[in-house]
Amino acid sequence: IVLDPGHFHAALFQKEMLPEIDCQVHVYAPMGPDLLAHVGRVNAFNTRADKPANWTLEIHATPDFFPRLLAERPGNVVVVSGNNQGKIGRLQALIGAGLHTLADKPWIIEPEEFPALERTLEQARTARVAAYDAMTQRYEISCRLQQELVNDAEVFGRCQQGTEQDPAVYMESVHFLRKEVAGAPLLRPAWFFDPRQLGEPLADVGTHLVDLVQWMLTPEQALDPRRDVKVLRGSSGAIPLTRDQFKGVTGLAEFPAFLRPWVRGDRLEYIARNRVSYTLRGVHVKLDVLWDYEAPPGGKDTELSIFRGTRARVEVRQGREEQFVPEVYVVPNRAEDLARVEAAVRNRLTRLGAEFPGLTAGADGKRIQVRIPPALRVSHEAHFALLVRQFLTYFGQPDRMPAGEAPFMRAKYYVTTEGVRLGRLATPRPTTASR
């Protein structure tokens, strides 16, 4: 079952056919552009020349789509990927009805929703329902290798603590509003530009960054946000969008009424930038989550991830130098340790050979680069099939889900929502009442 598919990720869960999943999919949503866009994307998968899919969509397009879903229950797994406003309430109702749930990020976007998140996770545990947060970045080969190297004492040492001004962990993620998905220009729904419906950047795509920090530094460990996490500072900023730019990414000539609080003259002030500084078990972390309208000529989304250890830094860089393909580097803290650290990296890659064949490493005099063969490179869109396969191992056996997943989610969403709250205090925004 697919619930109100307002985000293109809803279709990416169906990009590949998997034998465990019935080809008939029930879609419950109101009639409108979001539903039509979803149907068009799935139809493109069915009609592509290379390995076409074979999905049959049963559309339930009515104003009371959600109570009808709960009453009819034509399946046992629900995919949720769309408007984030009030999402946690729907997740709570789905899990309460005994429906296994694969939900795209974010589950919550506002700090006052945090208690509902805790109740929902406890509800899933007691009802033995598989409720999974779609953290696709864990399936990116560069992230997987960074995790391995950060947790190799011979390569990395142990993580430094750093300071707020000079953090031990720094991540930057830059995205652009104009882009292509599955080979077609992406039209975003107008609600994408409302932070109360999508969430600010930190609360939305920033969820991945916070998840990766925990996944690398405290893998499969139970985290307590009240004891292990301290959010120090947050900030936010906006970029102006002209009507022509807004039309270019939504197809709409005018700003809808619900965006009026962010309209200044003839431009939309789109909240596009967040920064958060926090500590995770004493380690200082700083994250920058940034959106811009369009990449410069020849440009694409970029990523930067740096972890500083007592022996070396482990970095993932995805910029122009890397031709916008994520690459993994290890930089020894002392130049005289290059050979020893390179040997440790090669040893780790050898041990990973069964799972990731073909990995090699080479040094350029200052740093070691992990060479990733093309066979191990898969696109962001392909990560969704890998994630669904992982979810299927928990379906029917939720006890197989690592015990640390629920505490991870509590800690992760505490960072994102508290960071947003502090950012709003630093830069006040229109209130809900003003709309």
Side-chain angles (χ1 to χ4, degrees), residues 368-390:
I368 303 118
Q369 180 176 357
V370 178
R371 302 191 184 100
I372 304 171
L376 296 180
R377 301 275 194 186
V378 299
S379 69
H380 169 63
E381 296 173 15
H383 294 155
F384 285 82
L386 298 174
L387 183 140
V388 172
R389 289 189 179 99
Q390 184 64 54

Side-chain angles (χ1 to χ4, degrees), residues 66-319:
F66 190 52
R68 277 193 60 185
L69 184 161
L70 295 174
E72 296 172 359
R73 299 179 54 168
N76 48 17
V77 173
V78 183
V79 166
V80 182
S81 181
N83 192 310
N84 299 320
Q85 190 172 45
K87 179 190 283 185
I88 191 64
R90 290 183 177 178
L91 295 178
Q92 197 166 10
L94 292 169
I95 291 166
L99 290 164
H100 302 283
T101 305
L102 179 57
D104 193 20
K105 57 76 191 162
W107 284 33
I108 61 172
I109 58 176
E110 300 292 342
E112 58 265 25
E113 295 176 315
F114 190 78
L117 171 72
E118 295 189 299
R119 290 193 300 270
T120 303
L121 293 173
E122 180 59 21
Q123 185 179 34
R125 186 189 68 81
T126 57
R128 292 180 50 79
V129 169
Y132 201 45
D133 196 6
M135 292 289 98
T136 51
Q137 281 296 99
R138 297 186 190 181
Y139 300 89
E140 160 56 41
I141 181 63
S142 61
C143 297
R144 183 72 176 83
L145 292 173
Q146 189 174 38
Q147 185 201 46
E148 289 286 343
L149 295 170
V150 164
N151 285 279
D152 188 320
E154 293 301 311
V155 173
F156 186 68
R158 52 185 173 76
C159 193
Q160 298 183 23
Q161 286 198 322
T163 65
E164 185 178 354
Q165 292 71 33
D166 189 20
V169 177
Y170 176 71
M171 286 189 177
E172 178 189 87
S173 176
V174 181
H175 291 267
F176 298 97
L177 296 170
R178 284 180 64 95
K179 65 173 59 177
E180 288 190 354
V181 172
L186 175 64
L187 283 181
R188 300 182 186 275
W191 58 258
F192 182 93
F193 298 87
D194 184 348
R196 301 292 178 171
Q197 297 187 64
L198 178 74
E200 294 192 20
L202 176 63
D204 181 36
V205 295
T207 309
H208 286 299
L209 276 61
V210 180
D211 182 74
L212 288 175
V213 172
Q214 299 173 174
W215 186 64
M216 293 193 192
L217 293 184
T218 57
E220 297 188 15
Q221 296 179 30
L223 293 173
D224 182 343
R226 295 167 180 84
R227 184 184 68 240
D228 296 323
V229 176
K230 183 177 182 181
V231 183
L232 306 173
R233 202 174 310 277
S235 66
S236 66
I239 61 172
L241 297 178
T242 66
R243 280 185 167 81
D244 285 344
Q245 289 176 322
F246 185 74
K247 183 179 180 180
V249 292
T250 65
L252 301 176
E254 297 295 333
F255 303 128
F258 61 78
L259 290 177
R260 196 169 297 142
W262 289 275
V263 175
R264 303 289 181 268
D266 63 348
R267 295 174 184 264
L268 174 69
E269 294 292 316
Y270 167 55
I271 299 176
R273 297 172 181 181
N274 283 128
R275 168 175 286 181
V276 65
S277 295
Y278 67 100
T279 60
L280 175 64
R281 291 185 174 172
V283 173
H284 282 269
V285 181
K286 182 179 290 184
L287 309 177
D288 281 318
V289 190
L290 314 170
W291 282 87
D292 216 328
Y293 179 70
E294 189 173 20
K300 296 181 180 179
D301 292 352
T302 64
E303 301 280 347
L304 174 63
S305 174
I306 300 174
F307 285 72
R308 293 169 49 204
T310 53
R311 290 190 174 182
R313 300 196 313 271
V314 180
E315 305 177 349
V316 172
R317 294 179 176 269
Q318 180 184 330

